[in-house]
Amino acid sequence: MSVRSGKSQKRIAPAVSKASAILKQFKRDYDVSKIGLEASSPLELVVATILSAQCTDVRVNMVTPTLFKRYRSASDYANAKPKELEGIIRSTGFYHAKAKSIIGMAKGLIERFGGVVPDTLDQLTTLPGVGRKTANVVLGKAFGKTEGIVVDTHVKRLSFRLEFTKHTDPEKIEQDLMKLFPKKDWIGISNCLIWHGRMVCNARAPKCDECHVSSLCPSAHLFMEKNSSPAK
């Protein structure tokens, strides 16, 4: 038992060491507390995060000023006319489903929590349209609480490229990241991966020659070789 455990520790240690070095560099490059979504209250942040599914934060931030001016409370959203709400959020995509989620979320807030956004993962995830990702965003930014790691498309992509995980399921990726990084850095690593995914390690053409962690990235040489290969 002890021998097996020792071998496991030897396998894990290099991964933790590499993850720590990458996070250290990210902290030099990015503001670990900053997120892309603009919101001034927990309710606004819940709504903005729901809208961010399959949509850029830039686009969401273009829509939310009008949205937040029109709807100011859980009651406003709960009583919203679907067509009117859909018209405002249309450009974020999947607006039928998002409007339904927002209205359902607001009704859940009123029925279960007196219209106030709760501050625990278990309570938040009982609301329609609120999964672990949305709950972790709200807990971290609105309440300064760390119960998990936000896994969006950027975190998913970079975690795989950096070999922080071999999984594609967000919840399994989250569990792998939680093992690699101390709890105090769970919010920070997510924010850094998101910013790095937007600024440098994008989906189609990562800028490996500009990346400050390329020497620690197992995937960098593959992209660099591809980019340096002569076109046929």
Side-chain angles (χ1 to χ4, degrees):
M1 183 71 176
S2 60
V3 174
R4 192 176 299 123
S5 175
K7 289 182 178 179
S8 175
Q9 288 298 320
K10 288 181 180 179
R11 286 197 300 269
I12 293 173
V16 172
S17 177
K18 183 185 79 169
S20 178
I22 289 172
L23 177 59
K24 187 175 181 180
Q25 180 59 52
F26 280 163
K27 285 181 176 180
R28 298 190 187 103
D29 295 337
Y30 306 107
D31 180 349
V32 299
S33 66
K34 184 180 179 182
I35 67 171
L37 295 172
E38 297 173 359
S40 60
S41 71
L43 177 61
E44 289 185 356
L45 188 56
V46 174
V47 172
T49 309
I50 291 174
L51 292 177
S52 71
Q54 303 297 310
C55 181
T56 66
D57 289 352
V58 172
R59 170 55 59 182
V60 173
N61 291 337
M62 292 172 67
V63 168
T64 49
T66 299
L67 185 69
F68 295 161
K69 186 176 180 179
R70 173 67 182 83
Y71 306 99
R72 298 179 180 275
S73 67
S75 180
D76 289 340
Y77 286 109
N79 295 308
K81 295 178 180 179
K83 291 295 183 182
E84 181 182 357
L85 179 56
E86 289 172 3
I88 297 174
I89 67 173
R90 178 183 291 269
S91 64
T92 67
F94 304 98
Y95 56 92
H96 291 304
K98 290 179 180 180
K100 183 178 179 181
S101 291
I102 291 171
I103 292 172
M105 175 276 298
K107 288 180 177 178
L109 279 180
I110 294 170
E111 293 169 0
R112 301 169 205 171
F113 307 111
V116 178
V117 176
D119 61 355
T120 71
L121 185 67
D122 289 342
Q123 290 176 321
L124 280 167
T125 51
T126 65
L127 298 169
V130 179
R132 284 188 65 92
K133 172 198 161 185
T134 298
N136 281 328
V137 170
V138 174
L139 289 171
K141 185 61 179 178
F143 299 109
K145 291 189 172 185
T146 307
E147 292 195 36
I149 295 176
V150 176
V151 179
D152 73 347
T153 55
H154 297 292
V155 175
K156 180 178 178 179
R157 180 175 70 254
L158 269 66
S159 294
F160 196 79
R161 286 179 176 175
L162 290 165
E163 292 189 358
F164 289 161
T165 186
K166 292 183 178 179
H167 295 111
T168 56
D169 177 74
E171 290 197 16
K172 290 182 179 179
I173 293 172
E174 182 183 12
Q175 292 302 313
D176 286 342
L177 292 175
M178 288 165 71
K179 293 173 185 175
L180 280 177
F181 298 95
K183 188 173 183 179
K184 66 182 180 64
D185 288 320
W186 286 357
I187 295 174
I189 186 57
S190 175
N191 290 343
C192 286
L193 286 171
I194 291 171
W195 283 115
H196 194 64
R198 289 177 184 151
M199 305 293 290
V200 179
C201 194
N202 55 60
R204 295 187 178 182
K207 305 171 185 176
C208 298
D209 56 334
E210 299 178 18
C211 178
H212 294 165
V213 299
S214 60
S215 63
L216 297 169
C217 177
S219 303
H221 73 282
L222 299 175
F223 290 109
M224 294 177 81
E225 287 175 3
K226 181 180 179 181
N227 292 337
S228 63
S229 298
K232 293 184 179 180

